[in-house]
């Protein structure tokens, strides 16, 4: 018998996040450990009148791919991926890692080669999403690996995760509609302004936002969700920032990252752990050293870092900056094979002011 919270999460993803309707083609992707959720999503798509297409990956498949694939194979793009990005109405993807470090021995250059090969597919997906022709949602299924990264037992992690997704609410879809009202209020407050100034421990940075569009992230693309974000003006970031929460990227843990921006570009970067990998990622292409996103977290149901960016970037009281590719719907124009979010925790004593007006202090919104 399935955990009822799994069924609730499937209802959120199908009926709220992607809004599947009659004759919608929906690609359902995920690893084999997520089979209970994939099955529940499959059933909900059918109930909604849609046409589900399931693409399930095997445990250890990604590690085997990078171990054995030639450069030509890394550059090959599956016709299914191209077809789905160009023709499907929606995509629901479920992360379900059994080992979050299974790519830790893969050379960054091989991962970069793959990212570059997939860039046209990512670009098409973003363009169709910005046009409203392609709905997508990303979530994860709790596994022992994610629980271990978060330093929790699996049972505690499940309680934490499903609560953050509002899957334990009597009517989870209605609960997310209520949540969206607060995110939209904050988005409306910041829209149309010109400069964001973030200060805190090791941080004093200004970002230009003139003419850019802020998006209220309220569960339509990520689950759990809770942020409002934009693409900063590409040449208008100045100052230093310290990222307080570690993250696990491509099987490698990177922590204690500091960056200095000059004229919108990373002029210097360091990390207490994973510095060599950090620099290689920043050197991927010209766009990797410029910001593609400024996001401000609003989900106070996520209280601690888990080393999983899907959750950590939503923590209420934090801001995150992403080097690399912008989302076109924000007005951002930065292009890169990279999009890497990093977290600055303002709950440690920090402020966000916008055009000189205080938005957030010590992790709490004051507007």
């Amino acid at each position: 018998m399935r955990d009822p919270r799994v069924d609730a999460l499937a209802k959120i993803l199908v009926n709220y996040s992607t809004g599947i309707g009659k004759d919608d083609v929906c690609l359902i992707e995920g690893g084999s450990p997520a089979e209970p959720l994939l099955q529940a999503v499959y059933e909900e798509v059918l109930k909604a009148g849609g046409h589900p297409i399931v693409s399930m990956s095997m445990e250890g498949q990604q590690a085997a791919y990078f171990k054995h694939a030639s450069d030509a194979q890394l550059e090959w793009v599956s016709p299914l991926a191209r077809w789905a990005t160009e023709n499907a109405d929606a995509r629901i993807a479920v992360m379900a890692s059994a080992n979050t470090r299974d790519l830790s021995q893969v050379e960054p250059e091989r991962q970069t080669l793959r990212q570059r090969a997939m860039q046209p597919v990512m670009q098409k997906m973003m363009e169709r999403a910005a046009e409203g022709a392609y709905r997508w949602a990303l979530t994860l299924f709790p596994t022992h690996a994610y629980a271990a990264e978060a330093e929790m037992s699996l049972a505690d992690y499940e309680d934490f995760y499903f609560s953050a997704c509002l899957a334990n609410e009597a009517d989870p879809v209605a609960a997310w509609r209520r949540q969206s009202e607060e995110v939209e209020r904050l988005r409306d407050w910041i829209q149309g302004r010109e400069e964001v100034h973030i200060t805190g421990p090791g941080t004093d940075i200004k970002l230009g936002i003139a003419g850019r569009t802020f998006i209220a992230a309220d569960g339509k693309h990520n689950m759990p969700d809770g942020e409002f974000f934009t693409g900063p003006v590409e040449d208008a970031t100045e100052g230093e920032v310290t990222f307080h929460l570690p993250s696990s990227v491509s099987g490698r843990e990177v922590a204690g990252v500091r960056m200095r921006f000059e004229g919108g570009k990373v002029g210097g970067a360091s990390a207490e752990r994973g510095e060599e990998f950090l620099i290689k990622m920043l050197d991927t292409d010209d766009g990797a050293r410029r910001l593609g996103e400024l996001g401000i977290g609003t989900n106070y149901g996520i209280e601690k870092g888990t080393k999983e960016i899907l959750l950590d970037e939503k923590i209420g009281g934090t801001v995150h900056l992403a080097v690399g590719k912008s989302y076109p719907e924000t007005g951002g124009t930065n292009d890169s094979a990279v999009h890497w979010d990093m977290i600055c925790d303002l709950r440690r004593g920090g402020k966000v002011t916008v055009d000189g007006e205080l938005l957030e202090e010590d992790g709490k919104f004051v507007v």
Side-chain angles (χ1 to χ4, degrees):
M1 184 175 180
R2 273 199 308 256
D3 186 327
R5 297 172 299 184
V6 170
D7 291 321
L9 181 53
K11 287 181 171 66
I12 294 169
L13 294 168
V14 173
N15 301 314
Y16 175 76
S17 299
T18 55
I20 300 299
K22 188 176 185 299
D23 292 332
D24 280 342
V25 174
C26 179
L27 180 65
I28 303 169
E29 294 183 326
S32 54
E35 187 172 346
L37 180 55
L38 298 175
Q39 176 72 24
V41 169
Y42 179 82
E43 293 170 8
E44 287 298 325
V45 171
L46 289 172
K47 291 175 186 176
H51 304 296
I53 301 174
V54 179
S55 176
M56 186 184 296
S57 58
M58 301 170 289
E59 188 173 328
Q61 178 175 325
Q62 194 174 25
Y65 174 71
F66 279 106
K67 180 179 180 179
H68 299 293
S70 65
D71 285 356
Q73 288 171 314
L74 290 173
E75 292 175 332
W76 182 80
V77 179
S78 164
L80 172 61
R82 292 188 187 277
W83 181 90
T85 304
E86 294 172 0
N87 296 280
D89 300 293
R91 171 180 178 258
I92 296 174
V94 183
M95 300 186 298
S97 178
N99 178 4
T100 59
R101 305 301 174 93
D102 61 356
L103 299 184
S104 61
Q105 301 304 309
V106 178
E107 298 88 345
E109 293 80 5
R110 287 175 61 75
Q111 297 182 54
T112 298
L113 182 62
R114 181 59 182 168
Q115 289 170 340
R116 286 175 178 155
M118 292 299 295
Q119 190 171 2
V121 175
M122 180 185 293
Q123 180 67 29
K124 184 65 176 180
M125 183 188 78
M126 287 184 168
E127 289 173 356
R128 291 191 67 216
E131 295 166 358
Y134 185 77
R135 289 106 64 197
W136 60 269
L138 173 68
T139 191
L140 65 76
F141 185 77
T143 65
H144 284 288
Y146 294 129
E149 287 290 306
E151 300 180 357
M152 299 182 192
S153 69
L154 179 59
D156 286 344
Y157 186 80
E158 288 173 336
D159 290 343
F160 159 77
Y161 186 74
F162 288 124
S163 176
C165 293
L166 305 183
N168 53 356
E169 297 283 336
D171 187 340
V173 173
W176 271 107
R177 289 184 177 131
R178 290 193 300 271
Q179 280 288 97
S180 72
E181 294 176 1
E182 172 66 1
V183 184
E184 289 175 357
R185 180 185 75 86
L186 293 166
R187 184 273 314 276
D188 292 345
W189 182 90
I190 201 171
Q191 184 61 49
R193 298 178 185 248
E194 296 188 353
E195 184 180 77
V196 173
H197 186 193
I198 305 168
T199 58
T203 298
D204 188 345
I205 188 170
K206 294 181 178 180
L207 303 91
I209 57 170
R212 296 301 162 91
T213 299
F214 273 83
I215 307 296
D218 55 1
K220 296 296 175 60
H221 292 310
N222 287 173
M223 186 55 57
D225 214 342
E227 65 169 293
F228 50 106
F229 68 93
T230 194
V233 177
E234 287 70 24
D235 60 356
T237 300
E238 300 284 347
E240 295 186 353
V241 60
T242 296
F243 299 108
H244 305 105
L245 299 186
S247 62
S248 183
V249 182
S250 300
R252 290 172 169 82
E253 183 174 318
V254 180
V257 174
R258 294 177 61 92
M259 291 184 184
R260 184 183 73 258
F261 286 85
E262 300 169 354
K265 192 171 185 178
V266 177
S270 63
E272 296 172 4
R273 186 182 306 118
E275 182 173 311
E276 182 180 355
F277 177 72
L278 169 69
I279 300 303
K280 285 184 177 180
M281 292 299 287
L282 291 174
D283 289 339
T284 297
D285 49 43
D286 289 341
R289 284 184 174 262
R290 296 187 184 272
L291 290 181
E293 181 186 354
L294 158 67
I296 302 176
T298 63
N299 191 331
Y300 289 92
I302 306 174
E303 297 180 346
K304 60 167 288 185
T306 65
K307 299 179 185 175
E308 174 48 61
I309 195 63
L310 176 67
L311 284 84
D312 294 355
E313 69 175 2
K314 313 304 190 313
I315 296 173
T318 68
V319 298
H320 57 275
L321 305 179
V323 291
K325 191 170 185 61
S326 301
Y327 292 102
E329 59 265 43
T330 68
T333 59
N334 196 43
D335 191 27
S336 174
V338 173
H339 182 92
W340 185 358
D341 297 277
M342 301 180 207
I343 315 297
C344 178
D345 194 347
L346 301 179
R347 299 172 299 176
R348 303 176 177 214
K351 295 180 181 180
V352 178
T353 56
V354 184
D355 293 347
E357 187 174 353
L358 188 62
L359 166 66
E360 185 174 3
E361 185 172 15
D362 297 335
K364 300 294 182 183
F365 293 104
V366 300
V367 298

